[in-house]
């Protein structure tokens, strides 16, 4: 039994012995202008990746130091016929016919090549013994087989060749060409003469003749494989701009080498590489398959096969080959499988990312990682398929709770830290793709990248491509908020801010309804060549879906202008739509310059005569009867009668369902106002629709044109439906939503409110939209939905911008929300309020100087009666304090102090501002990054005492009690209990003054908080009797 040897070791391959009688290229005289590499024999390194669909990272390649380079020389078998490799034939029309080797042929050739090779050798042995059918016999008398001996160069040839050489060196190319041509006519079999002629043509700038001379010279040595290899390389070096022709000529040379010696690995490798560069993936895959038969389990060849299989979407084939290779290496003794490294494991994992075998990929990758970490004996981890506990950080609870796990059996780093980040990320992506329930497990892997750390030595600057991979995977699974956590850090790596990154961020913001942020990135995308039209079209679509047509108008204009430019220059890109100025012009919304090409809608007054069907009359009468019954039940509903509530909701459901069926109230274009119960207006567009997205552009343009065609007679527009006024219809919607919210069916409540907000009879009424949004955040308060509250209050800040009460409303609603998660200081809220601050500041800066302070335009959203944008008249202290509180809640105390000081400069006597400044300094002093802690504490108490002095002079007892408690709580927080106790005691003494007011439920009382704090102080300081006294006096109900 033969001993099993690692097939990837090339030490057993000896250089070939060539039996031809031609002189070797090394014996050809070298010229001074030629380097050593011009005639040197070829070697190729299989470990050098020539192609990969996804680049293998340098960190994996760094672990390949144990793998030696594989230098494979041609093995010329003189007993093989030139047509031995007949399964690959070069054809002249290869430029037109890409891959003439079918997949079935490739599979069968891979399957049969090994046995065919062995049968060929057996047949040769039989022929040598005289058992075959080979007639003629080798070595008979008077018969000499093989190439004849070339003629010796004559004296005249040598003299002409010498003259041509010196003439070439002197720069006399014409005389040199004449001499070498005469020499070739004397003896055309001398390769050095053809090589010199090629150099002369190349020096004259005629590359075509130079390559032709090389071809002619190579054919003088039909079986000299080194000469053909040199010619192939010289052809590639001299291809110049016409590289495609050079690639095909070089492939011709390698075809000839393989015809002479089908086992010539170097030629097959080079031919595969060149075919891959030409895009002939099947031809390249065929040669790599042959190489894999010649070099079984060679990981370098497998990498190339993996890259091609990913490109042609046939990764299962590569996975099967890798499984065979891995099984082979795992069967070897320890230490003999050095060729398979982490880089190959990374390629193996990459294949599963492009396949549908996510669950199988997780199991295979984990098993492979354990083998690379020398933990192959721990197969019990395969039973835990729902998590990756073995790769957790340190020996945490999950791994330690595993019964089979033994601490100390293997080194600790072979579990969590031993898994490279590249493979950890791929494992997480496979978890994410396998099942929605695996999202948490995937995020545990992703968080190893530390997306919230921006330190120079962090993972962000070392692995930006991993951040991009994770963000793309989360985006594909519609995890938009999590995707932004990995997209946003990439903005700090300038060289990695690419179009895909910006487009991904814009998509996330758009799906999260953060239109301002999405607009910012779409505008940046539009600066890339070829992406401006698609970016503008996305912006127009986004604002159209959001119902903000005035912001969609400029982008529609830009798309139409781009189409017009393409129409004027059709050769510069795709064909453009032909739109005349008379048809579309959206430069100004509702401007008189827009031609009235769309007929105004015909309006008629609502009457019974217009109803042709008696059933329609009956339906309206039934709705009015139901409405009257609801009015009768309303007092009982308000008193809490459950039976009346159920009946009222049943009747309300009937009315709302009928209202929702009226398409007249829910047009596809929400900007279309309700004009009456007339026939639908038909629009005809004569413009051609030949470009992608043009139909959308036309639709948006029509919406903008209709904006200027509203009827002026407001009295002609009905104000009721089926005898029920629209105000009553709105009350029905909102009351119905409140009842759902009271029953904790918040999803149905939001749905009903959303339906009401989409009806055009309410959408274009400011009073109706105001009531709808009030109902919206009220339902959110009922279920402590902080996200909904923050989103709804944006409507008020947009419609009533720079109004202090709006910002107070935002703070008050978040204060009343008692949910487990608060969106008050979330990233979307922080950015939105910051834009409000920037807009306020921009109101006091000249327009020509705004670019010096802000990169983006100020977002003014409020309008006056004439439609003009309203700017801030004064600096709003409430807005500055609100943004400061958001930063304070996010523990960004140093940044919060900046806005507190801005407010302090506007109102230095305001006690609330002083309190915020004092607490900001104190909390900042307690942070680890604080440099001068004592100075910060002193500064904090200076503002805190200013607040205390202002409140202590107040005539309101509650304000004095508040000051005593806050100062005591500040000392308590710093551990200065002896200073906190007097303030707590004074707080308790003041409580007697406000007991009467507290009974009315009109103010807050800090008695219980102060008593509880004082009880804890006495108890922890060894005075239980005082703690007991405080408890009996103030805390016993």
């Amino acid at each position: 039994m033969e001993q099993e040897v690692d097939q990837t070791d090339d030490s057993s391959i000896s250089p070939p012995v060539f039996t031809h009688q031609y002189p070797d290229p090394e014996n050809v005289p070298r010229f001074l202008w030629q380097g050593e590499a011009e005639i040197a024999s070829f070697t190729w390194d299989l470990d050098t990746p020539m192609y990969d669909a996804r680049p293998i990272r340098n960190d994996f390649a760094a672990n390949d130091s144990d793998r030696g380079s594989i230098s494979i020389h041609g093995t010329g078998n003189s007993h093989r016929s030139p047509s031995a490799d007949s399964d690959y034939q070069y054809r002249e029309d290869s430029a037109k016919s890409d891959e003439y080797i079918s997949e079935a042929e490739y599979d069968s050739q891979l399957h049969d090549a090994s046995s065919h090779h062995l049968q060929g050798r057996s047949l040769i042995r039989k022929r040598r013994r005289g058992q075959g059918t080979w007639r003629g016999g080798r070595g008979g008398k008077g018969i000499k087989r093989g190439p004849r001996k070339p003629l010796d160069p004559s004296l005249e040839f040598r003299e002409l060749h010498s003259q041509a050489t010196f003439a070439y060196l002197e720069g006399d190319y014409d005389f040199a060409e004449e001499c070498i041509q005469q020499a070739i006519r004397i003896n055309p079999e001398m390769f050095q003469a053809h090589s010199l002629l090629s150099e002369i043509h190349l020096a004259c700038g005629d590359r075509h003749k130079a390559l032709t001379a090389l071809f002619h010279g190579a054919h003088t040595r039909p079986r000299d494989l080194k000469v053909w290899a040199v010619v192939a390389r010289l052809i590639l070096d001299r291809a110049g701009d016409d590289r495609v022709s050079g690639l095909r000529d070089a492939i011709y040379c390698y075809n000839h080498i393989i015809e002479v010696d089908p086992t010539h690995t170097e030629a097959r490798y080079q031919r595969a590489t060149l075919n891959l560069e030409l895009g002939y993936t099947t031809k390249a895959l065929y040669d790599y398959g042959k190489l894999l038969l010649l070099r079984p389990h060679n990981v370098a060849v497998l990498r190339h096969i993996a890259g091609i299989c990913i490109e042609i979407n046939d990764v299962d084939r590569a996975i099967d080959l890798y499984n065979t290779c891995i099984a082979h290496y795992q069967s070897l003794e320890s230490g003999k499988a050095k060729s398979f490294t982490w880089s190959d494991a990374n390629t193996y994992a990459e294949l599963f990312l492009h396949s549908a075998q996510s669950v199988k990929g997780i199991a295979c990758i984990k098993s492979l990682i354990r083998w690379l970490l020398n933990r192959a004996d721990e197969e019990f981890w395969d039973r835990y398929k729902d998590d990756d506990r073995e790769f957790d950080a340190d020996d945490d609870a999950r791994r330690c709770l595993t019964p089979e796990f033994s601490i100390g059996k293997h080194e600790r780093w072979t579990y969590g830290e031993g898994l490279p980040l590249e493979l950890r990320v791929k494992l997480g992506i496979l978890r994410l793709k396998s099942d929605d329930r695996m999202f948490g497990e995937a995020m545990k892997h992703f968080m190893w990248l530390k997306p919230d750390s921006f330190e120079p030595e962090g993972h962000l600057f070392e692995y930006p491509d991993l951040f991009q991979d994770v963000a793309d995977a989360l985006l594909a699974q519609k995890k938009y908020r999590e995707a932004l956590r990995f997209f946003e850090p990439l903005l700090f790596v300038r060289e990695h801010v690419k179009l895909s990154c910006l487009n991904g961020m814009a998509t996330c913001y758009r799906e999260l309804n953060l239109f301002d942020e999405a607009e910012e990135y779409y505008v940046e995308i539009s600066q890339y060549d070829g992406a401006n039209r698609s970016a503008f079209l996305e912006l127009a679509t986004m604002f159209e879906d959001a119902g903000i047509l005035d912001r969609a108008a400029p982008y529609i204009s830009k798309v139409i202008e781009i189409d017009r430019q393409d129409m004027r220059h059709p050769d510069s890109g795709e064909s453009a739509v032909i739109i005349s100025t008379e048809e579309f012009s959206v430069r100004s919304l509702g401007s008189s310059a827009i031609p009235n090409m769309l007929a105004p809608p015909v309006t008629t007054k609502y009457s019974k005569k217009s109803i042709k069907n008696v059933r329609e009359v009956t339906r309206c009468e039934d709705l009015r009867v139901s409405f009257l019954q609801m009015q009768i039940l309303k007092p009982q509903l308000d008193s809490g009668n459950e039976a009346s509530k159920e009946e009222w909701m049943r009747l309300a459901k009937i009315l709302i369902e009928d209202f929702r069926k009226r398409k007249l109230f829910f047009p596809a274009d929400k900007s279309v106002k309700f004009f009456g119960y007339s026939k639908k207006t038909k629009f005809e567009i004569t413009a051609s629709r030949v470009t992608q997205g043009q139909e959308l552009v036309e639709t948006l343009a029509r919406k903008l044109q209709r904006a200027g065609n509203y009827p002026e007679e407001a009295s002609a527009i009905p104000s009721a439906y089926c005898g029920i006024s629209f105000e009553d219809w709105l009350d029905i919607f909102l009351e119905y939503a409140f009842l759902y919210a009271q029953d904790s069916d918040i999803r149905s409540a939001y749905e009903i409110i959303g339906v009401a907000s989409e009806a055009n009879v309410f959408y274009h009424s400011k009073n109706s939209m105001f009531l709808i949004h009030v109902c919206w955040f009220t339902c959110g308060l009922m279920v402590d939905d902080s996200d909904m509250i923050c989103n709804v209050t944006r409507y008020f800040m947009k419609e009533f911008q720079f109004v202090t009460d709006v910002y107070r409303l935002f703070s008050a609603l978040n204060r009343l929300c008692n949910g487990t998660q608060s969106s008050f200081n979330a990233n979307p809220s922080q950015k939105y309020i910051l834009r409000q601050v920037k807009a306020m500041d921009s109101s006091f800066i000249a327009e020509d100087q705004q670019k010096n302070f802000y990169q983006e335009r100020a977002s003014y959203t409020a309008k006056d009666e004439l439609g003009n944008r309203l700017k801030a008249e004064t600096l709003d202290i409430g807005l500055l304090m609100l943004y400061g509180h958001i930063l304070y809640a996010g523990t960004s105390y140093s940044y919060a102090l900046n806005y507190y000081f801005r407010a302090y400069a506007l109102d230095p006597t305001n006690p609330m501002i002083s309190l915020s400044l004092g607490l900001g300094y104190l909390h900042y002093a307690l942070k680890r990054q604080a440099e001068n802690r004592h100075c910060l504490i002193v500064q904090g108490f200076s503002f805190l005492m200013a607040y205390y002095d202002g409140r202590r002079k107040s005539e309101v007892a509650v304000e004095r009690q508040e000051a005593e408690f806050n100062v005591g709580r500040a000392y308590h927080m710093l551990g200065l209990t002896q200073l906190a106790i007097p303030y707590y005691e004074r707080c308790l003494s003041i409580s007697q003054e406000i007991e009467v007011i507290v009974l009315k439920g009109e103010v807050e009382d800090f008695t219980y908080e102060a008593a509880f704090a004082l009880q804890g102080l006495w108890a922890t300081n060894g005075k239980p009797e005082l703690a007991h006294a405080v408890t009996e006096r103030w805390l016993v109900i």
Side-chain angles (χ1 to χ4, degrees):
M1 183 175 180
E2 296 181 0
Q3 185 178 2
E4 184 176 12
V5 182
D6 187 357
Q7 296 295 331
T8 60
D9 187 7
D10 298 319
S11 60
S12 60
I13 302 177
S14 59
V17 178
F18 296 98
T19 58
H20 57 74
Q21 300 179 9
Y22 293 101
D24 292 334
E26 287 79 359
N27 297 330
V28 178
R30 293 192 178 93
F31 304 109
L32 297 177
W33 61 89
Q34 290 180 319
E36 292 293 333
E38 286 291 319
I39 307 179
S41 61
F42 276 74
T43 58
W44 59 285
D45 188 2
L46 279 176
D47 288 337
T48 304
M50 301 294 294
Y51 172 84
D52 194 352
R54 293 175 63 90
I56 298 175
R57 297 178 175 85
N58 296 333
D59 299 276
F60 278 88
N63 297 328
D64 296 349
S65 58
D66 295 334
R67 187 196 310 143
S69 62
I70 305 176
S71 178
I72 300 178
H73 301 275
T75 57
N77 295 330
S78 58
H79 59 271
R80 299 294 300 269
S81 63
S83 60
D85 194 27
S86 60
D87 51 358
Y88 188 102
Q89 298 293 332
Y90 179 81
R91 304 196 309 186
E92 293 296 334
D93 58 344
S94 61
K96 299 180 180 179
S97 176
D98 174 7
E99 299 166 349
Y100 54 84
I101 300 177
S102 64
E103 297 294 335
E105 286 178 310
Y106 169 71
D107 291 334
S108 63
Q109 287 164 349
L110 284 184
H111 184 270
D112 300 333
S114 179
S115 60
H116 176 74
H117 185 64
L118 295 176
Q119 291 175 3
R121 290 193 174 186
S122 176
L123 179 61
I124 291 174
R125 287 195 295 269
K126 290 181 179 180
R127 288 172 178 172
R128 286 178 178 176
R129 292 193 298 265
Q131 301 175 7
T133 58
W134 199 350
R135 297 183 179 180
R138 173 182 284 269
K141 294 183 178 181
I143 300 176
K144 292 184 179 181
R145 297 188 177 274
R148 66 176 178 80
K149 184 177 180 180
L151 296 176
D152 292 333
S154 62
L155 180 62
E156 183 180 4
F157 174 86
R158 294 175 181 176
E159 183 178 355
L160 289 171
H161 187 274
S162 178
Q163 293 177 5
T165 301
F166 285 107
Y168 175 80
L169 294 176
E170 294 293 334
D172 190 357
Y173 302 128
D174 294 335
F175 180 71
E177 182 180 359
E178 180 181 356
C179 292
I180 201 63
Q181 289 284 11
Q182 294 179 17
I184 291 174
R185 283 193 290 270
I186 295 173
N187 192 348
E189 298 181 0
M190 303 305 294
F191 174 75
Q192 57 267 40
H194 295 276
S195 177
L196 178 57
L197 180 60
S198 176
E199 294 290 341
I200 293 172
H201 286 312
L202 186 64
C204 294
D206 195 338
R207 293 182 178 271
H208 178 71
K209 290 184 177 180
L211 297 179
T212 303
L214 279 178
F215 264 118
H216 291 166
H219 284 84
T220 64
R221 308 280 186 89
R223 301 188 63 83
D224 193 336
L225 305 185
K226 291 186 178 180
V227 169
W228 283 92
V230 170
V231 171
R233 191 187 64 179
L234 292 178
I235 288 173
L236 292 176
D237 293 342
R238 301 173 182 179
D241 298 334
D242 191 9
R243 181 164 179 80
V244 175
S245 298
L247 292 173
R248 292 172 182 162
D249 294 338
I251 290 175
Y252 176 83
C253 296
Y254 290 124
N255 288 341
H256 184 86
I257 295 175
I258 295 173
E259 287 179 0
V260 175
D261 181 12
T263 63
H264 199 292
T265 52
E266 176 189 352
R268 284 200 179 274
Y269 179 82
Q270 296 296 340
R271 188 172 72 173
T273 304
L274 299 182
N275 276 321
L276 198 59
E277 186 175 349
L278 286 172
Y280 303 157
T281 54
T282 303
K283 294 180 183 179
L285 190 60
Y286 168 78
D287 276 328
Y288 285 131
K290 283 284 189 179
L291 284 172
L292 197 59
L293 291 175
L294 297 172
R295 300 285 177 183
H297 316 302
N298 189 286
V299 291
V301 176
L302 279 176
R303 291 179 193 171
H304 295 287
I305 294 177
I308 297 175
C309 289
I310 290 175
E311 184 176 347
I312 65 176
N313 196 21
D314 189 14
V315 294
D316 291 339
R317 177 186 299 181
I319 290 175
D320 293 339
L321 292 175
Y322 261 95
N323 289 336
T324 304
C325 175
I326 292 172
H328 165 73
Y329 282 112
Q330 289 180 346
S331 65
L332 300 179
E333 297 180 2
S334 178
K336 291 187 178 181
K338 296 181 179 179
S339 298
F340 199 95
T341 63
W342 287 108
S343 179
D344 304 300
N346 186 48
T347 306
Y348 182 55
E350 186 73 26
L351 292 171
F352 283 105
L353 292 182
H354 292 81
S355 71
Q357 309 179 42
S358 300
V359 177
K360 179 182 178 182
I362 294 172
C364 293
I365 293 172
K366 291 170 63 175
S367 176
L368 177 61
I369 292 172
R370 285 197 296 272
W371 174 68
L372 290 173
L373 291 172
N374 297 322
R375 292 193 295 107
D377 56 323
E378 294 187 345
E379 297 180 355
F380 60 86
W381 294 114
D382 293 333
R383 293 195 292 270
Y384 301 93
K385 300 179 180 180
D386 294 335
D387 59 62
D388 303 320
R389 62 182 67 186
E390 62 174 309
F391 300 115
D392 289 345
D394 300 328
D395 293 331
D396 62 353
R398 292 202 309 176
R399 188 160 62 232
C400 292
L401 291 177
T402 305
E404 300 88 347
F405 174 65
S406 176
I407 300 178
K409 181 178 180 181
H410 297 283
E411 297 185 21
R412 180 178 295 180
W413 67 267
T414 61
Y415 291 93
E417 297 178 357
L419 178 60
L421 281 177
E422 289 88 343
L423 280 172
R424 183 177 290 278
V425 167
K426 287 179 173 59
L427 196 60
I429 294 176
L430 288 174
R431 285 287 183 188
L432 192 64
K433 293 172 61 178
S434 62
D435 194 345
D436 293 338
R437 295 173 298 178
M438 295 290 102
F439 172 70
E441 192 68 26
M443 288 301 298
K444 288 183 179 180
H445 288 296
F446 297 156
M447 294 307 295
W448 279 72
L449 292 176
K450 301 178 181 179
D452 301 325
S453 176
F454 304 104
E455 299 178 357
E457 62 275 8
H459 296 318
L460 171 61
F461 300 95
E462 187 176 359
Y463 304 103
D465 51 339
L466 295 184
F467 277 75
Q468 181 75 42
D469 293 341
V470 172
D472 291 338
L474 290 170
L475 177 61
Q477 298 298 322
K478 298 183 179 181
K479 307 294 183 181
Y480 303 113
R481 294 188 183 277
E482 291 78 8
L484 284 175
R485 292 189 65 182
F486 294 89
F487 271 130
E488 290 178 343
L490 291 175
L491 298 178
F492 294 90
V493 188
R494 294 184 178 180
E495 61 273 12
H496 205 81
V497 179
K498 301 177 182 178
L499 188 61
S500 59
C501 175
L502 298 176
N503 195 29
M505 295 184 67
T507 302
C508 291
Y509 283 122
R510 176 179 179 176
E511 295 296 332
L512 294 173
N513 294 331
L514 301 176
F515 302 127
D516 293 333
E517 289 84 351
E519 181 182 17
E520 176 184 350
Y521 288 105
Y522 275 130
V523 171
E524 189 170 352
I525 292 172
S526 66
Q527 299 176 1
Y528 285 77
D529 295 337
N532 52 355
R533 187 184 188 278
S534 60
F536 293 146
L537 192 60
E538 289 291 338
L539 283 168
T541 306
M542 178 182 70
F543 288 124
E544 186 270 338
D545 293 339
I548 314 175
L549 293 182
D550 54 339
R551 297 182 67 176
Y555 299 112
I556 299 173
S557 301
K558 292 179 180 179
V559 173
I560 295 177
E561 183 62 27
I562 292 172
D563 290 339
R564 288 173 177 168
Q565 292 176 2
D566 293 341
M567 178 189 65
R568 301 187 190 102
H569 306 283
D571 296 335
S572 61
E574 61 178 359
S575 58
V577 65
I578 302 175
I579 303 177
S580 62
T581 308
E582 290 76 12
E583 291 174 349
F584 288 107
S585 177
V586 287
R587 295 179 181 175
S588 58
L589 183 62
S591 174
S592 59
I594 300 178
N596 188 11
M597 80 168 204
L598 303 177
V602 180
T603 59
T604 57
K605 295 184 178 180
Y606 174 82
S607 64
K608 292 184 179 180
K609 295 180 181 180
S610 63
I611 304 176
K612 299 180 181 180
N613 198 321
V614 177
R615 186 180 299 175
E616 187 74 7
V617 178
T618 305
R619 183 186 59 82
C620 289
E621 291 295 336
D622 293 339
L623 292 178
R624 282 196 292 269
V625 172
S626 298
F627 176 70
L628 292 175
Q629 293 177 356
M630 293 171 64
Q631 287 183 319
I632 296 173
L633 293 172
K634 189 65 167 65
Q636 301 177 20
L637 174 67
D638 296 337
S639 62
N641 189 303
E642 286 295 326
S644 300
K645 174 183 175 181
E646 292 178 1
E647 181 63 15
W648 191 95
M649 292 184 69
R650 185 186 67 81
L651 296 172
K653 182 179 181 181
I654 296 175
L655 268 69
I656 290 176
E657 287 180 353
D658 184 272
F659 190 92
R660 295 177 68 175
K661 293 178 181 178
R662 303 304 104 192
K663 296 182 179 180
L664 188 64
F665 300 142
F666 301 92
D669 181 5
K670 291 194 296 183
S671 64
V672 177
K673 290 187 176 181
F674 175 72
F675 298 142
Y677 304 103
S678 61
K679 294 181 179 180
K680 296 181 179 180
T681 306
K682 296 181 180 180
F683 303 98
E684 296 181 358
I685 301 300
T686 59
S688 302
R689 298 175 181 176
V690 293
T691 57
Q692 183 180 5
Q694 188 57 39
E695 183 177 357
L696 175 61
V697 174
E698 295 171 359
T699 303
L700 298 177
R702 289 201 304 271
K703 295 176 183 178
L704 294 175
Q705 288 184 335
R706 287 203 300 271
N709 294 328
Y710 298 135
E712 297 179 357
E713 296 81 11
S715 60
I717 302 177
S719 60
Y721 169 61
C722 290
I724 306 173
S725 66
F726 290 129
E727 289 79 8
D728 291 332
W729 279 105
L730 181 60
D731 291 338
I732 294 173
F733 274 91
L734 301 184
E735 186 71 23
Y736 194 55
F738 276 133
L739 294 177
Y740 267 127
Q742 290 175 1
D743 293 340
S744 300
D745 190 358
I746 194 61
R747 180 175 298 179
S748 299
Y750 288 160
E751 180 183 357
I752 296 300
I753 301 174
V755 171
S757 65
E758 293 175 359
N760 57 359
V761 293
F762 305 135
Y763 182 81
H764 296 283
S765 173
K766 290 186 177 180
N767 294 332
S768 299
M769 292 301 291
F770 183 89
L771 293 175
I772 287 173
H773 283 83
V774 169
C775 177
W776 225 328
F777 73 67
T778 304
C779 292
L781 283 176
M782 289 182 180
V783 294
D784 294 324
D785 190 351
S786 180
D787 289 337
M788 181 58 67
I789 290 174
C790 292
N791 291 333
V792 172
T793 49
R794 288 189 181 185
Y795 166 81
F796 299 97
M797 287 187 283
K798 182 185 70 174
E799 295 294 328
F800 307 95
Q801 194 177 25
F802 309 130
V803 177
T804 304
D805 289 339
V806 173
Y807 305 118
R808 292 176 178 172
L809 175 66
F810 180 83
S811 301
L813 292 176
N814 280 277
R815 173 64 179 85
L816 294 174
C817 183
N818 298 320
T820 56
Q821 294 182 352
S822 176
S823 299
F824 174 75
N825 62 325
N827 194 31
S829 300
Q830 178 180 347
K831 290 185 176 181
Y832 186 85
I833 301 299
L834 178 59
R835 286 195 298 272
Q836 297 286 313
V837 175
K838 290 181 178 179
M840 179 185 66
D841 294 341
S842 299
S843 301
F844 303 96
I845 302 175
E847 294 183 358
D848 57 342
Q849 298 181 1
Q850 288 184 6
K851 294 182 179 180
N852 298 331
F853 299 91
Y854 302 105
Q855 296 181 356
E856 65 275 9
R857 297 178 302 171
S859 55
Y860 302 113
T861 57
K863 300 179 182 179
D864 58 11
E865 297 178 355
L866 300 177
N868 300 321
R869 302 286 183 180
L870 295 177
K871 296 184 178 181
E873 298 179 357
T874 58
L875 291 175
D876 196 319
I877 298 177
L879 177 58
L880 294 173
M881 291 296 295
L882 173 60
Y883 189 65
H885 291 331
I886 291 176
L887 295 173
Y888 180 94
T891 68
S892 298
Y893 304 114
S894 59
Y895 299 105
L897 290 172
N898 295 331
Y899 293 90
Y900 288 154
F901 273 116
R902 290 187 61 184
Y904 182 80
L906 297 173
D907 189 2
T909 60
N910 192 313
M912 187 62 195
I913 299 177
S914 299
L915 175 62
S916 300
L917 282 167
L919 293 179
Y921 272 113
L922 291 181
H923 283 283
Y924 185 39
L926 297 178
K927 294 191 70 173
R928 179 175 55 84
Q929 297 89 346
E931 296 180 357
N932 196 337
R933 201 180 308 275
H934 296 83
C935 180
L936 292 174
I937 292 175
V938 172
Q939 288 178 301
F941 269 99
S942 65
F943 287 103
L944 199 61
M945 287 305 173
Y947 152 77
Y948 179 78
D949 294 337
R951 285 297 198 191
R952 189 175 55 178
K953 299 176 183 178
S954 175
E955 298 179 357
V956 181
V958 177
E959 295 181 356
R960 298 198 305 273
Q961 186 191 41
E962 169 197 317
E964 298 290 345
F965 177 80
N966 285 335
V967 176
R969 186 68 186 86
Y971 281 121
H972 194 175
M973 178 179 64
L974 296 176
L976 303 176
T977 56
Q978 72 280 8
L979 299 178
I981 291 174
Y983 290 92
Y984 284 146
E985 292 176 344
R986 285 195 293 269
C987 178
L988 294 177
S989 63
I990 298 175
S991 65
Q992 299 177 357
E993 301 179 17
I994 60 174
E995 285 180 353
V996 179
I997 304 177
V998 171
L999 293 176
K1000 298 180 180 180
E1002 297 177 358
V1003 296
E1004 290 184 89
D1005 185 15
F1006 298 91
T1007 302
Y1008 295 120
E1009 288 81 0
F1012 182 80
L1014 198 59
Q1015 176 200 46
L1017 289 177
W1018 291 129
T1020 56
N1021 284 279
K1023 296 183 179 180
E1025 64 279 5
L1026 295 178
H1028 184 72
V1030 170
T1031 303
E1032 288 185 345
R1033 173 66 180 85
W1034 301 104
L1035 299 179
V1036 176
I1037 301 177

